[in-house]
Amino acid sequence: MIKTLDEIAKFINGQLIGDKNIFVSQISPIKKAKEGDITFIFDKRELKKNQANQIDATCVVLPEDIETIFCPKIIVENPKLAFARLLELFNPTTLPPPGIHPTAIISKDAKIGKDVSIGAYVVIGDEVEIGDGVVIYPLTNIGHKVMVGNESILHSNVTIYDKVKIGKRVIIHSQTVIGSDGFGYIKTGSVHYKIPQKGEVVIEDDVEIGAGVTIDRATLGATVIGQGTKIDNLVHIGHNVKIGKNCIIVAQVGISGSVTIEDNVTIAGQAGVSDHVTIKENTIVAAQTGVMKDIGPNLIVSGLPARPHQEEMKIKALIQKLPLLAEKIKVLEKKAAELENR
Amino acid sequence: MIKTLDEIAKFINGQLIGDKNIFVSQISPIKKAKEGDITFIFDKRELKKNQANQIDATCVVLPEDIETIFCPKIIVENPKLAFARLLELFNPTTLPPPGIHPTAIISKDAKIGKDVSIGAYVVIGDEVEIGDGVVIYPLTNIGHKVMVGNESILHSNVTIYDKVKIGKRVIIHSQTVIGSDGFGYIKTGSVHYKIPQKGEVVIEDDVEIGAGVTIDRATLGATVIGQGTKIDNLVHIGHNVKIGKNCIIVAQVGISGSVTIEDNVTIAGQAGVSDHVTIKENTIVAAQTGVMKDIGPNLIVSGLPARPHQEEMKIKALIQKLPLLAEKIKVLEKKAAELENR
Amino acid sequence: MIKTLDEIAKFINGQLIGDKNIFVSQISPIKKAKEGDITFIFDKRELKKNQANQIDATCVVLPEDIETIFCPKIIVENPKLAFARLLELFNPTTLPPPGIHPTAIISKDAKIGKDVSIGAYVVIGDEVEIGDGVVIYPLTNIGHKVMVGNESILHSNVTIYDKVKIGKRVIIHSQTVIGSDGFGYIKTGSVHYKIPQKGEVVIEDDVEIGAGVTIDRATLGATVIGQGTKIDNLVHIGHNVKIGKNCIIVAQVGISGSVTIEDNVTIAGQAGVSDHVTIKENTIVAAQTGVMKDIGPNLIVSGLPARPHQEEMKIKALIQKLPLLAEKIKVLEKKAAELENR
């Protein structure tokens, strides 16, 4: 793919400083970029002065002009967004073409939309509805009474249990399981009696779910993943959980049953949330945190148990100083003994 | 499904207070329940007095009579058990009918029991024995010399390696792997030489295993999951591990190689157990705990490293007070200096 | 399999003390070993004196002679290596025979090497190159433009996305995903805009990857797993990560995006590494550690945040003593008050 700087500046709504007829053919990181490449400076502070002279790229996209850079520049408001859009421009995604592979086994009761691509050895159950433009990669299994909205993509080896509703433009990566039974038992004597899990899972529009994720169905009602929420790999989401809109759930997070997470919450990697807890909107939970009671809104928390991050930082600093504090206590004890003896 | 209160009271061995000919048609949570619904109060203390008047359900199941509730009531010893049983009554599970899908590839050396259901694109190896009434969902792979006991259910996209023994009434959810190689190497120079993993895995009767779980085969002998133990999603169980009967292993727990877990142990989410450790019977391990040496029996532990929970709670409270303790030390130092100067 | 002690001593380069014509037929752990078994003492210190008389094995392999053991002995330099080699000798691995199952769907553009075994319902995309002697178990999906080096083994239900390069003698266990999209978004308003993930994954020679692992493709460039590195189950490796040679990554470790891990690093179970961090060579990271900034080389670290292990041990010991320290402060306060009042 070859583009002129003029074409690129227009595509990313940027202001070009330099010759508009020059061509670039690929995106490269700043240190690796060479003749013919376009590169990015996301934040002026990243750039040390002596580096400016060493840029070998043909063009740099950046948030404001830097005079020590002499190659053609494109100034944009949001270089990260420009980067994402140019990445797609130079490396367009090629989805499998529409068509149903002859080995796909699709129930006669299923309704399949227009321009759908269904791969080899896909299995689709009764009363399933697949929207227009959906792509299902090979070896994925979809149970009964499942709905998949328009333009959603299910990668290979995915399992969707019965009665799961998936919205539009949802992306589900490989080995993810949606709708497995919630983990619920009643102890009768020494035996754990299984509580049947009869609810559903609802994945709203524009959700992306990473690889190897497990999302359990509700006991009654629905486990819900809100619109625009993004979930990383190997995340566990228990039964009856409600996640709001535009949340970010990073890899290996564990969310116990009946948790409520409101809109715009970020939970960083390997954090855990105890059952029945509510995390209110705009809360950020740091990595490896253990959230054991309701928190938020508009708060950064960390630690085990989770506390306001500033408080946790103070406590962590004092823990680091414990040897010193212990030493001070020893000195004080000695002085106290001396003073008593006077 | 419609049932009279009389039918329901008999089914759950309860005492009905109210008209036995009234019908109900579904179970609902207490706040959402309306005319025609049956709901539950699991514990009298959940119920605030003013809520009793607001119950719109047609019938409430509860552990003892509450006089401020005026609708028909059914008194039972264990409302949670009654809930589980009524959930199944109103929403009966429909397993796939017996039969072997023509695309299933089954070794001629495999023995398949009666009334077995084998889904599309299932692959079954040599010398496998599948018991009566077993259900295997699509796209599951079973290696050689595997035994699956009567009435067990394997969901789709499961992998069972060679030489795994699965008991009766075992449930295995999607994307779970049983019998992968244990993680064992010998360092010779800078290279890690693989220790072959030649043992087996034994899953005893009535075990349930969640989605995305990995259970490694033993180096020699067997990795064992004891009868009635329940394992949640994304749990890792290393080689040579022995888990006793009726244990509860919550999501994302990691159990290292050669660990022994005795009967009736509960390990909460994201906890980890170091290799060769024994957790004795009736121990409860809190979430995110790190068990690094033998613990139990009959103990609740938490923390990193794991300690008796009460001790950990005391320590956690003091950690919370560290800023205060540091302040007190500062005050004492000042006083000590003053006293010295007198 | 039956072998004479002479054959065995030669096979493991050991010095036999005892009758070279005696037969053994299997390996057993020392406590279970009986007539006809060969067993191992890896470290002399494991053996209590009174146990030496209780060995019922026909032969013991050990690192130096122990005079209180009277049965035939084989002295070797590295008993663990001898154990690994004898395990394979007595229990040889049987891989599926070469051949392509008729249900495998292989693109016409794919190049398949010699003596390759491809199982049932495997799907292989365009421009894929499969080396000689490769084994691919059933139900595995390989995207487009993937390379798999000679003698690599892919277990069942594995997913390899497009543009992944896998070296020689690589082993990938079931349910593992290689090449899923990295977790990258740009927030524009309240919406998370997806950064396309257009890079690759490179798995070098002699890597072993456990079950249920997820390795994300790079945004640009490649996520790299270095030669001889071994990865346990349910590990997450983010986009743009570079892992060096001969590393050990234990189960449920999470490695965030753009992390660099140099050669010979060990990361124990459930540890996490923050994005853009470098772990220098020969570093050992303890279980459940949180590595939040660059560490190493040649260091053992633990704690949250990660510190040198000795320092963390000292701090952990003081945390354990916090109730005592708090008590001491109380005593000091009392004494200070008394002294002031004098």
Side-chain angles (χ1 to χ4, degrees), chain A residues 103 121 141 157 159 161 175 185-186 190 192 194 196 198 214 216 234 236 253-254 271 304 307 311 328, chain B residues 80 84-85 87 91 93 101 121 139 155-157 173-175 208 233 246 251-252 270 288 316 320 333 340:
Chain A
T103 62
Y121 302 129
N141 182 53
N157 281 305
T159 294
Y161 280 61
Q175 309 304 1
Y185 304 90
I186 300 147
S190 63
H192 300 287
K194 180 176 173 69
K198 298 298 182 176
T214 62
D216 283 350
L234 294 173
H236 163 69
V253 162
L304 175 58
R307 311 181 172 83
E311 199 183 311
K328 284 185 173 183
Chain B
K80 284 205 169 165
R85 298 193 60 219
L87 257 183
N91 311 275
T93 298
H101 196 278
Y121 301 128
L139 296 162
H155 283 274
S156 66
N157 278 308
H173 285 280
S174 291
Q175 251 70 13
E208 181 162 5
N233 298 341
N246 298 316
Q252 294 178 322
Q270 296 185 331
Q288 296 186 326
K316 281 260 197 295
Q320 176 78 23
E333 285 177 324
E340 276 185 319

Short mmCIF file of all heavy atoms in Angstrom, two decimals, chain A residues 103 121 141 157 159 161 175 185-186 190 192 194 196 198 214 216 234 236 253-254 271 304 307 311 328, chain B residues 80 84-85 87 91 93 101 121 139 155-157 173-175 208 233 246 251-252 270 288 316 320 333 340:
data_model
loop_
_atom_site.label_atom_id
_atom_site.label_comp_id
_atom_site.label_asym_id
_atom_site.label_seq_id
_atom_site.Cartn_x
_atom_site.Cartn_y
_atom_site.Cartn_z
N THR A 103 -19.06 -28.08 5.25
CA THR A 103 -19.00 -28.93 6.45
C THR A 103 -19.67 -28.31 7.67
O THR A 103 -19.76 -28.96 8.71
CB THR A 103 -17.53 -29.24 6.82
OG1 THR A 103 -16.89 -28.00 7.12
CG2 THR A 103 -16.79 -29.95 5.69
N TYR A 121 -16.55 -26.87 9.80
CA TYR A 121 -16.83 -27.59 11.05
C TYR A 121 -17.43 -26.72 12.14
O TYR A 121 -17.29 -27.01 13.33
CB TYR A 121 -15.55 -28.29 11.56
CG TYR A 121 -14.99 -29.26 10.55
CD1 TYR A 121 -13.66 -29.24 10.16
CD2 TYR A 121 -15.83 -30.20 9.95
CE1 TYR A 121 -13.16 -30.11 9.21
CE2 TYR A 121 -15.35 -31.08 9.00
CZ TYR A 121 -14.01 -31.03 8.64
OH TYR A 121 -13.53 -31.90 7.69
N ASN A 141 -18.66 -23.71 18.14
CA ASN A 141 -19.92 -24.36 18.45
C ASN A 141 -20.89 -23.37 19.05
O ASN A 141 -20.59 -22.73 20.05
CB ASN A 141 -19.69 -25.50 19.45
CG ASN A 141 -20.97 -26.24 19.75
OD1 ASN A 141 -21.66 -26.68 18.84
ND2 ASN A 141 -21.33 -26.34 21.02
N ASN A 157 -12.87 -22.13 17.46
CA ASN A 157 -12.87 -22.87 18.74
C ASN A 157 -13.56 -22.12 19.86
O ASN A 157 -13.24 -22.33 21.04
CB ASN A 157 -11.43 -23.22 19.16
CG ASN A 157 -10.86 -24.41 18.41
OD1 ASN A 157 -11.45 -25.47 18.41
ND2 ASN A 157 -9.73 -24.22 17.77
N THR A 159 -16.97 -21.45 22.14
CA THR A 159 -18.20 -22.16 22.53
C THR A 159 -19.23 -21.18 23.06
O THR A 159 -18.95 -20.45 24.02
CB THR A 159 -17.92 -23.19 23.64
OG1 THR A 159 -17.07 -24.21 23.13
CG2 THR A 159 -19.21 -23.82 24.13
N TYR A 161 -22.87 -21.44 24.67
CA TYR A 161 -23.92 -22.33 25.17
C TYR A 161 -25.30 -21.82 24.73
O TYR A 161 -25.41 -20.75 24.12
CB TYR A 161 -23.88 -22.37 26.70
CG TYR A 161 -22.82 -23.26 27.32
CD1 TYR A 161 -21.47 -23.06 27.09
CD2 TYR A 161 -23.18 -24.30 28.18
CE1 TYR A 161 -20.50 -23.86 27.69
CE2 TYR A 161 -22.22 -25.11 28.78
CZ TYR A 161 -20.89 -24.89 28.54
OH TYR A 161 -19.94 -25.68 29.14
N GLN A 175 -11.25 -19.79 21.83
CA GLN A 175 -11.28 -20.56 23.10
C GLN A 175 -12.12 -19.88 24.18
O GLN A 175 -12.08 -20.30 25.34
CB GLN A 175 -9.87 -20.81 23.70
CG GLN A 175 -8.82 -21.39 22.81
CD GLN A 175 -9.16 -22.69 22.16
OE1 GLN A 175 -10.23 -23.19 22.35
NE2 GLN A 175 -8.28 -23.25 21.38
N TYR A 185 -23.64 -24.18 44.45
CA TYR A 185 -23.99 -25.45 45.10
C TYR A 185 -24.56 -25.16 46.47
O TYR A 185 -24.28 -24.12 47.07
CB TYR A 185 -22.75 -26.34 45.26
CG TYR A 185 -22.06 -26.59 43.95
CD1 TYR A 185 -21.04 -25.74 43.52
CD2 TYR A 185 -22.44 -27.64 43.12
CE1 TYR A 185 -20.44 -25.92 42.30
CE2 TYR A 185 -21.84 -27.84 41.89
CZ TYR A 185 -20.83 -26.97 41.48
OH TYR A 185 -20.25 -27.14 40.27
N ILE A 186 -25.34 -26.09 46.97
CA ILE A 186 -25.82 -26.01 48.35
C ILE A 186 -25.25 -27.20 49.09
O ILE A 186 -25.36 -28.33 48.60
CB ILE A 186 -27.36 -26.14 48.38
CG1 ILE A 186 -27.96 -25.01 47.59
CG2 ILE A 186 -27.87 -26.14 49.82
CD1 ILE A 186 -29.22 -25.44 46.91
N SER A 190 -22.32 -33.51 53.72
CA SER A 190 -20.99 -33.22 53.18
C SER A 190 -21.03 -33.06 51.66
O SER A 190 -20.01 -32.80 51.03
CB SER A 190 -20.02 -34.36 53.55
OG SER A 190 -20.45 -35.56 52.95
N HIS A 192 -22.16 -31.45 47.94
CA HIS A 192 -22.52 -30.19 47.30
C HIS A 192 -23.57 -30.47 46.24
O HIS A 192 -23.29 -31.12 45.24
CB HIS A 192 -21.29 -29.55 46.67
CG HIS A 192 -20.21 -29.26 47.66
ND1 HIS A 192 -20.32 -28.25 48.57
CD2 HIS A 192 -19.04 -29.88 47.92
CE1 HIS A 192 -19.23 -28.23 49.34
NE2 HIS A 192 -18.45 -29.22 48.96
N LYS A 194 -25.94 -29.39 43.27
CA LYS A 194 -25.82 -28.37 42.21
C LYS A 194 -27.08 -27.52 42.11
O LYS A 194 -28.18 -28.04 42.00
CB LYS A 194 -25.57 -29.07 40.87
CG LYS A 194 -25.42 -28.11 39.69
CD LYS A 194 -25.07 -28.89 38.41
CE LYS A 194 -25.08 -28.01 37.17
NZ LYS A 194 -24.00 -27.01 37.11
N PRO A 196 -29.18 -25.54 39.71
CA PRO A 196 -29.25 -25.43 38.24
C PRO A 196 -29.08 -23.97 37.83
O PRO A 196 -29.49 -23.06 38.54
CB PRO A 196 -30.67 -25.92 37.91
CG PRO A 196 -31.17 -26.59 39.14
CD PRO A 196 -30.44 -26.02 40.30
N LYS A 198 -30.14 -21.50 35.17
CA LYS A 198 -31.17 -21.44 34.14
C LYS A 198 -31.31 -20.08 33.48
O LYS A 198 -32.23 -19.85 32.72
CB LYS A 198 -32.51 -21.84 34.79
CG LYS A 198 -32.51 -23.26 35.35
CD LYS A 198 -32.29 -24.28 34.24
CE LYS A 198 -32.34 -25.70 34.79
NZ LYS A 198 -32.22 -26.69 33.68
N THR A 214 -13.99 -16.86 30.19
CA THR A 214 -15.19 -17.63 30.55
C THR A 214 -16.22 -16.70 31.16
O THR A 214 -15.93 -15.97 32.10
CB THR A 214 -14.86 -18.74 31.56
OG1 THR A 214 -14.38 -18.17 32.78
CG2 THR A 214 -13.80 -19.69 31.01
N ASP A 216 -20.01 -16.94 32.73
CA ASP A 216 -21.05 -17.88 33.16
C ASP A 216 -22.44 -17.31 32.98
O ASP A 216 -22.66 -16.11 33.17
CB ASP A 216 -20.85 -18.24 34.64
CG ASP A 216 -19.72 -19.24 34.85
OD1 ASP A 216 -19.20 -19.80 33.88
OD2 ASP A 216 -19.36 -19.45 36.03
N LEU A 234 -8.32 -14.52 29.22
CA LEU A 234 -8.32 -15.36 30.43
C LEU A 234 -9.01 -14.68 31.62
O LEU A 234 -8.67 -14.93 32.78
CB LEU A 234 -6.89 -15.77 30.81
CG LEU A 234 -6.19 -16.69 29.81
CD1 LEU A 234 -4.72 -16.88 30.19
CD2 LEU A 234 -6.87 -18.04 29.72
N HIS A 236 -12.27 -14.25 34.03
CA HIS A 236 -13.41 -15.03 34.49
C HIS A 236 -14.52 -14.10 34.97
O HIS A 236 -14.27 -13.23 35.82
CB HIS A 236 -13.00 -15.95 35.64
CG HIS A 236 -14.18 -16.46 36.41
ND1 HIS A 236 -15.07 -17.36 35.88
CD2 HIS A 236 -14.65 -16.16 37.65
CE1 HIS A 236 -16.02 -17.61 36.77
NE2 HIS A 236 -15.80 -16.89 37.84
N VAL A 253 -8.31 -11.02 35.15
CA VAL A 253 -9.18 -10.53 36.21
C VAL A 253 -10.24 -11.59 36.52
O VAL A 253 -10.69 -12.31 35.64
CB VAL A 253 -9.85 -9.20 35.79
CG1 VAL A 253 -11.06 -8.87 36.64
CG2 VAL A 253 -8.83 -8.06 35.85
N GLY A 254 -10.62 -11.68 37.81
CA GLY A 254 -11.68 -12.59 38.21
C GLY A 254 -12.81 -11.82 38.86
O GLY A 254 -12.59 -11.09 39.83
N ALA A 271 -6.59 -8.56 39.02
CA ALA A 271 -7.39 -8.12 40.16
C ALA A 271 -8.57 -9.07 40.33
O ALA A 271 -8.97 -9.77 39.41
CB ALA A 271 -7.88 -6.69 39.93
N LEU A 304 -4.83 -5.00 48.95
CA LEU A 304 -5.64 -6.15 49.35
C LEU A 304 -5.85 -6.03 50.84
O LEU A 304 -4.93 -6.29 51.61
CB LEU A 304 -4.89 -7.45 49.01
CG LEU A 304 -5.52 -8.75 49.46
CD1 LEU A 304 -6.91 -8.90 48.88
CD2 LEU A 304 -4.66 -9.93 49.06
N ARG A 307 -8.05 -0.17 48.75
CA ARG A 307 -8.21 1.14 49.40
C ARG A 307 -7.97 2.21 48.35
O ARG A 307 -7.39 1.95 47.31
CB ARG A 307 -7.11 1.39 50.42
CG ARG A 307 -6.82 0.40 51.40
CD ARG A 307 -5.69 0.93 52.30
NE ARG A 307 -5.53 0.01 53.39
CZ ARG A 307 -4.81 -1.10 53.33
NH1 ARG A 307 -4.16 -1.41 52.24
NH2 ARG A 307 -4.76 -1.91 54.36
N GLU A 311 -3.82 6.36 49.65
CA GLU A 311 -3.68 5.77 50.99
C GLU A 311 -2.82 4.51 50.92
O GLU A 311 -1.92 4.30 51.73
CB GLU A 311 -5.09 5.44 51.49
CG GLU A 311 -5.23 5.25 52.97
CD GLU A 311 -6.67 4.85 53.32
OE1 GLU A 311 -7.62 5.52 52.84
OE2 GLU A 311 -6.84 3.86 54.05
N LYS A 328 13.81 2.18 65.11
CA LYS A 328 13.49 3.35 65.94
C LYS A 328 12.84 2.94 67.25
O LYS A 328 13.12 3.53 68.31
CB LYS A 328 12.53 4.28 65.18
CG LYS A 328 13.21 5.08 64.09
CD LYS A 328 12.23 6.07 63.45
CE LYS A 328 13.00 6.97 62.50
NZ LYS A 328 12.12 8.01 61.91
N LYS B 80 -32.71 -23.00 50.29
CA LYS B 80 -31.79 -23.01 49.15
C LYS B 80 -31.91 -24.31 48.36
O LYS B 80 -31.89 -24.31 47.13
CB LYS B 80 -30.34 -22.81 49.62
CG LYS B 80 -30.07 -21.37 49.99
CD LYS B 80 -28.60 -21.02 49.87
CE LYS B 80 -28.45 -19.50 50.00
NZ LYS B 80 -27.06 -19.13 50.25
N ALA B 84 -33.15 -24.80 44.52
CA ALA B 84 -32.45 -25.56 43.49
C ALA B 84 -33.38 -26.57 42.83
O ALA B 84 -33.42 -26.71 41.61
CB ALA B 84 -31.23 -26.26 44.09
N ARG B 85 -34.17 -27.24 43.66
CA ARG B 85 -35.04 -28.28 43.11
C ARG B 85 -36.19 -27.69 42.30
O ARG B 85 -36.57 -28.22 41.26
CB ARG B 85 -35.55 -29.17 44.23
CG ARG B 85 -34.36 -29.89 44.95
CD ARG B 85 -34.83 -31.00 45.84
NE ARG B 85 -35.54 -31.99 45.06
CZ ARG B 85 -36.64 -32.63 45.47
NH1 ARG B 85 -37.14 -32.38 46.66
NH2 ARG B 85 -37.24 -33.51 44.69
N LEU B 87 -36.05 -24.79 40.70
CA LEU B 87 -35.45 -24.26 39.47
C LEU B 87 -35.46 -25.33 38.38
O LEU B 87 -35.80 -25.07 37.23
CB LEU B 87 -34.00 -23.85 39.72
CG LEU B 87 -33.68 -22.39 39.87
CD1 LEU B 87 -32.18 -22.21 40.03
CD2 LEU B 87 -34.19 -21.57 38.69
N ASN B 91 -37.76 -25.33 35.04
CA ASN B 91 -36.91 -25.15 33.84
C ASN B 91 -36.14 -26.44 33.58
O ASN B 91 -34.93 -26.49 33.74
CB ASN B 91 -35.90 -24.03 34.06
CG ASN B 91 -36.53 -22.76 34.58
OD1 ASN B 91 -37.02 -21.94 33.83
ND2 ASN B 91 -36.52 -22.61 35.91
N THR B 93 -33.90 -29.34 32.40
CA THR B 93 -32.77 -29.43 31.48
C THR B 93 -33.12 -30.35 30.32
O THR B 93 -33.66 -31.43 30.52
CB THR B 93 -31.56 -30.01 32.22
OG1 THR B 93 -31.22 -29.13 33.28
CG2 THR B 93 -30.37 -30.19 31.29
N HIS B 101 -23.90 -38.73 16.22
CA HIS B 101 -23.93 -37.93 15.01
C HIS B 101 -23.06 -38.58 13.93
O HIS B 101 -21.98 -39.08 14.23
CB HIS B 101 -23.42 -36.51 15.31
CG HIS B 101 -23.78 -35.54 14.24
ND1 HIS B 101 -23.07 -35.41 13.07
CD2 HIS B 101 -24.81 -34.67 14.14
CE1 HIS B 101 -23.63 -34.47 12.31
NE2 HIS B 101 -24.68 -34.00 12.94
N TYR B 121 -18.80 -33.91 14.98
CA TYR B 121 -17.35 -33.67 14.95
C TYR B 121 -16.64 -34.02 16.26
O TYR B 121 -15.58 -33.47 16.57
CB TYR B 121 -17.05 -32.22 14.55
CG TYR B 121 -17.62 -31.87 13.20
CD1 TYR B 121 -18.41 -30.76 13.00
CD2 TYR B 121 -17.37 -32.70 12.10
CE1 TYR B 121 -18.94 -30.46 11.76
CE2 TYR B 121 -17.92 -32.42 10.86
CZ TYR B 121 -18.70 -31.29 10.70
OH TYR B 121 -19.23 -31.01 9.47
N LEU B 139 -17.49 -31.30 18.84
CA LEU B 139 -16.13 -30.77 18.70
C LEU B 139 -15.25 -31.10 19.90
O LEU B 139 -14.23 -30.43 20.14
CB LEU B 139 -16.18 -29.25 18.49
CG LEU B 139 -16.86 -28.79 17.20
CD1 LEU B 139 -17.26 -27.33 17.27
CD2 LEU B 139 -15.96 -29.03 16.00
N HIS B 155 -19.02 -31.12 27.75
CA HIS B 155 -19.48 -30.06 26.87
C HIS B 155 -18.56 -29.92 25.65
O HIS B 155 -17.59 -30.67 25.51
CB HIS B 155 -19.62 -28.76 27.67
CG HIS B 155 -20.86 -28.76 28.51
ND1 HIS B 155 -22.08 -28.36 28.04
CD2 HIS B 155 -21.08 -29.17 29.79
CE1 HIS B 155 -22.99 -28.50 28.99
NE2 HIS B 155 -22.41 -28.99 30.06
N SER B 156 -18.87 -28.96 24.79
CA SER B 156 -18.16 -28.90 23.51
C SER B 156 -16.74 -28.36 23.65
O SER B 156 -16.41 -27.67 24.62
CB SER B 156 -18.94 -28.02 22.53
OG SER B 156 -18.96 -26.70 22.97
N ASN B 157 -15.90 -28.70 22.68
CA ASN B 157 -14.52 -28.21 22.62
C ASN B 157 -13.69 -28.61 23.85
O ASN B 157 -12.74 -27.91 24.22
CB ASN B 157 -14.50 -26.68 22.48
CG ASN B 157 -14.71 -26.22 21.06
OD1 ASN B 157 -14.03 -26.66 20.15
ND2 ASN B 157 -15.69 -25.37 20.85
N HIS B 173 -17.08 -28.77 31.67
CA HIS B 173 -17.50 -27.67 30.81
C HIS B 173 -16.51 -27.41 29.68
O HIS B 173 -15.39 -27.94 29.67
CB HIS B 173 -17.77 -26.41 31.65
CG HIS B 173 -19.05 -26.52 32.41
ND1 HIS B 173 -20.27 -26.28 31.83
CD2 HIS B 173 -19.31 -26.94 33.68
CE1 HIS B 173 -21.23 -26.50 32.73
NE2 HIS B 173 -20.67 -26.90 33.84
N SER B 174 -16.95 -26.58 28.77
CA SER B 174 -16.22 -26.35 27.52
C SER B 174 -14.81 -25.83 27.74
O SER B 174 -14.52 -25.14 28.71
CB SER B 174 -16.99 -25.34 26.66
OG SER B 174 -18.18 -25.94 26.22
N GLN B 175 -13.96 -26.18 26.78
CA GLN B 175 -12.60 -25.64 26.70
C GLN B 175 -11.71 -26.16 27.84
O GLN B 175 -10.59 -25.69 28.00
CB GLN B 175 -12.63 -24.10 26.75
CG GLN B 175 -12.30 -23.42 25.47
CD GLN B 175 -13.37 -23.61 24.42
OE1 GLN B 175 -14.47 -24.04 24.70
NE2 GLN B 175 -13.06 -23.32 23.19
N GLU B 208 -17.67 -31.87 39.27
CA GLU B 208 -17.99 -30.92 38.19
C GLU B 208 -16.78 -30.03 37.98
O GLU B 208 -16.17 -29.55 38.93
CB GLU B 208 -19.23 -30.07 38.54
CG GLU B 208 -19.57 -29.11 37.40
CD GLU B 208 -21.00 -28.55 37.44
OE1 GLU B 208 -21.72 -28.83 38.41
OE2 GLU B 208 -21.37 -27.82 36.49
N ASN B 233 -14.18 -22.15 36.99
CA ASN B 233 -13.51 -21.86 35.71
C ASN B 233 -12.04 -21.47 35.86
O ASN B 233 -11.63 -20.90 36.87
CB ASN B 233 -14.22 -20.69 35.00
CG ASN B 233 -15.66 -21.00 34.67
OD1 ASN B 233 -16.07 -22.16 34.63
ND2 ASN B 233 -16.44 -19.96 34.43
N ASN B 246 -15.35 -33.81 47.97
CA ASN B 246 -16.24 -32.69 48.31
C ASN B 246 -15.51 -31.38 48.57
O ASN B 246 -15.92 -30.59 49.42
CB ASN B 246 -17.11 -33.07 49.52
CG ASN B 246 -18.00 -34.25 49.22
OD1 ASN B 246 -18.60 -34.32 48.16
ND2 ASN B 246 -18.05 -35.22 50.12
N ALA B 251 -12.78 -20.10 41.06
CA ALA B 251 -12.17 -19.69 39.79
C ALA B 251 -10.74 -19.17 39.94
O ALA B 251 -10.41 -18.46 40.88
CB ALA B 251 -13.04 -18.62 39.13
N GLN B 252 -9.91 -19.53 38.96
CA GLN B 252 -8.56 -19.00 38.80
C GLN B 252 -7.60 -19.40 39.92
O GLN B 252 -6.51 -18.83 40.04
CB GLN B 252 -8.60 -17.47 38.63
CG GLN B 252 -9.30 -17.07 37.33
CD GLN B 252 -9.40 -15.59 37.14
OE1 GLN B 252 -9.62 -14.86 38.09
NE2 GLN B 252 -9.25 -15.12 35.91
N GLN B 270 -8.55 -17.21 42.93
CA GLN B 270 -7.21 -16.65 42.68
C GLN B 270 -6.19 -17.00 43.76
O GLN B 270 -5.08 -16.46 43.74
CB GLN B 270 -7.28 -15.12 42.49
CG GLN B 270 -8.08 -14.72 41.26
CD GLN B 270 -8.06 -13.23 41.01
OE1 GLN B 270 -7.94 -12.44 41.93
NE2 GLN B 270 -8.18 -12.82 39.76
N GLN B 288 -7.21 -15.09 46.93
CA GLN B 288 -5.90 -14.45 46.69
C GLN B 288 -4.84 -14.81 47.73
O GLN B 288 -3.79 -14.17 47.80
CB GLN B 288 -6.05 -12.93 46.57
CG GLN B 288 -6.91 -12.52 45.36
CD GLN B 288 -6.95 -11.03 45.14
OE1 GLN B 288 -6.92 -10.27 46.08
NE2 GLN B 288 -7.01 -10.61 43.88
N LYS B 316 -3.66 -7.12 59.22
CA LYS B 316 -4.19 -6.19 58.20
C LYS B 316 -4.68 -4.90 58.85
O LYS B 316 -4.48 -3.81 58.29
CB LYS B 316 -5.34 -6.84 57.43
CG LYS B 316 -4.94 -7.83 56.36
CD LYS B 316 -5.00 -7.18 54.98
CE LYS B 316 -5.00 -8.18 53.85
NZ LYS B 316 -3.79 -8.96 53.74
N GLN B 320 -3.21 -1.12 58.18
CA GLN B 320 -4.08 0.03 57.94
C GLN B 320 -3.70 1.19 58.86
O GLN B 320 -3.80 2.36 58.50
CB GLN B 320 -5.53 -0.41 58.16
CG GLN B 320 -6.59 0.66 58.06
CD GLN B 320 -6.90 1.02 56.62
OE1 GLN B 320 -6.67 0.23 55.71
NE2 GLN B 320 -7.41 2.22 56.40
N GLU B 333 9.78 9.98 69.70
CA GLU B 333 11.17 10.42 69.51
C GLU B 333 11.36 11.86 70.00
O GLU B 333 12.37 12.19 70.62
CB GLU B 333 11.56 10.31 68.03
CG GLU B 333 11.81 8.87 67.61
CD GLU B 333 12.12 8.74 66.13
OE1 GLU B 333 11.52 9.51 65.34
OE2 GLU B 333 12.93 7.88 65.78
N GLU B 340 15.42 13.76 77.49
CA GLU B 340 16.87 13.67 77.63
C GLU B 340 17.48 15.02 77.96
O GLU B 340 18.47 15.10 78.70
CB GLU B 340 17.48 13.15 76.32
CG GLU B 340 17.45 11.64 76.22
CD GLU B 340 18.17 11.16 74.97
OE1 GLU B 340 18.00 11.80 73.91
OE2 GLU B 340 18.88 10.15 75.06
#
